[in-house]
Amino acid sequence: MNEHEFELSLQMDNLAKRNIALIISTAETFLVKGLASKLTEIGVEVNYSTTKIKQIKEFAEEADYYIFYMDESVKELADVMVFLNDICTEKEKKMILIGTRIEYEAVMTNLIEKNVLQWFERPLDMNVFIQRMQDYLDDAAVEARKKVILIVDDDVTYMRTIAEWLKDIYRVGMANSGAQAIAWLAKNKADLILLDYEMPITSGPQVLEMLKSEASTNSIPVMFLTGKGDRQSIMNVLSLKPADYLLKSIDRKTLRLKLEKYFLSKRVK
């Protein structure tokens, strides 16, 4: 896992918290104030900034996404758009653009398409805009209800495979070492950890010991992932009293079924 992929993993929990918007425009016009009012009505916390980079910086970190209300002056704001594009890329945030097609085409010369969540043409249909924003919030609420699983494994290819198998059912974080796992857990919560037993440098049992020694992580259930299926190896794994163990040869269907049964059993209790 490279540094960029790890940062994406650290940002995973933010996907379920899209409820703070920063509206950016050259002036806080009547329409901009109306936009803010409508967003507040559906539960979005709204901040406002002019197109001055210094002011945008005051709110940029807190905001989950940026709503840019464009006007004809946007052609002169290349430095602002580059700044917003960079922060969207770095922090995995999104922009929503409101403006004419000419304004949209102008700003897109400085924006990466993946950083733009949607463009709404002006004059703005407020009802359509608010409905779309409500859809975003609803999607985030569904995402927030998913169980969170952290996969810890030095075999990046295997870890990515497991993540792909699970990502449509669970929110999935990844870490390729014990140190990265601890760093991830410092910023995110987990309902379950799938932990490689045979990692180099810091082994799975050592990572489990670290987790048990911290009040913030000692109650997180851990399932060991092991490539060894002989009786003695399994006994060694079970002696550490994990929630369960999974052989790395497990297939997609069996893994998903095991996890489903595990979370169901916790819910019943």
Side-chain angles (χ1 to χ4, degrees), residues 87-145:
I87 198 168
C88 283
T89 300
E90 179 184 351
K91 302 295 184 180
E92 283 295 298
K93 300 188 179 185
K94 298 292 184 181
M95 291 189 65
I96 297 167
L97 303 174
I98 301 172
T100 66
R101 176 169 292 279
I102 292 175
E103 293 161 357
Y104 169 75
E105 291 174 350
V107 300
M108 288 308 295
T109 60
N110 293 298
L111 293 178
I112 299 174
E113 189 172 350
K114 73 178 184 67
N115 289 337
V116 178
L117 192 59
Q118 191 163 344
W119 161 54
F120 293 89
E121 192 163 10
R122 205 176 64 245
L124 179 65
D125 185 324
M126 187 67 76
N127 291 331
V128 171
F129 176 82
I130 293 301
Q131 182 57 58
R132 191 69 182 101
M133 293 303 299
Q134 185 66 66
D135 291 343
Y136 296 150
L137 294 178
D138 291 345
D139 289 346
V142 170
E143 190 72 16
R145 287 194 292 271

Side-chain angles (χ1 to χ4, degrees), residues 16-76:
K17 300 175 183 176
R18 303 289 181 189
N19 58 358
I20 304 178
L22 175 60
I23 297 179
I24 304 168
S25 67
T26 55
E28 196 172 7
T29 64
F30 175 79
L31 288 173
V32 169
K33 289 180 179 179
L35 188 63
S37 177
K38 288 291 186 181
L39 287 169
T40 301
E41 289 177 8
I42 63 170
V44 178
E45 181 181 337
V46 179
N47 292 316
Y48 171 77
S49 174
T50 67
T51 52
K52 301 293 184 183
I53 291 179
K54 182 177 180 180
Q55 187 175 11
I56 294 173
K57 285 181 178 179
E58 294 178 17
F59 302 103
E61 187 70 27
E62 182 183 23
D64 298 303
Y65 47 86
Y66 311 120
I67 300 174
F68 195 95
Y69 197 94
M70 302 179 287
D71 59 33
E72 59 186 14
S73 68
V74 75
K75 296 177 182 179
E76 303 167 8

Side-chain angles (χ1 to χ4, degrees), residues 73-87:
S73 68
V74 75
K75 296 177 182 179
E76 303 167 8
L77 299 175
D79 57 335
V80 176
M81 304 317 299
V82 169
F83 168 75
L84 289 170
N85 187 71
D86 289 346
I87 198 168

Side-chain angles (χ1 to χ4, degrees), residues 124-174:
L124 179 65
D125 185 324
M126 187 67 76
N127 291 331
V128 171
F129 176 82
I130 293 301
Q131 182 57 58
R132 191 69 182 101
M133 293 303 299
Q134 185 66 66
D135 291 343
Y136 296 150
L137 294 178
D138 291 345
D139 289 346
V142 170
E143 190 72 16
R145 287 194 292 271
K146 291 182 179 179
K147 295 294 186 181
V148 180
I149 296 177
L150 172 62
I151 307 170
V152 186
D153 199 314
D154 65 298
D155 185 339
V156 177
T157 300
Y158 179 79
M159 181 166 57
R160 286 174 177 160
T161 298
I162 298 301
E164 282 293 319
W165 287 357
L166 301 178
K167 69 178 185 179
D168 61 328
I169 303 175
Y170 306 100
R171 285 190 282 149
V172 180
M174 295 184 289

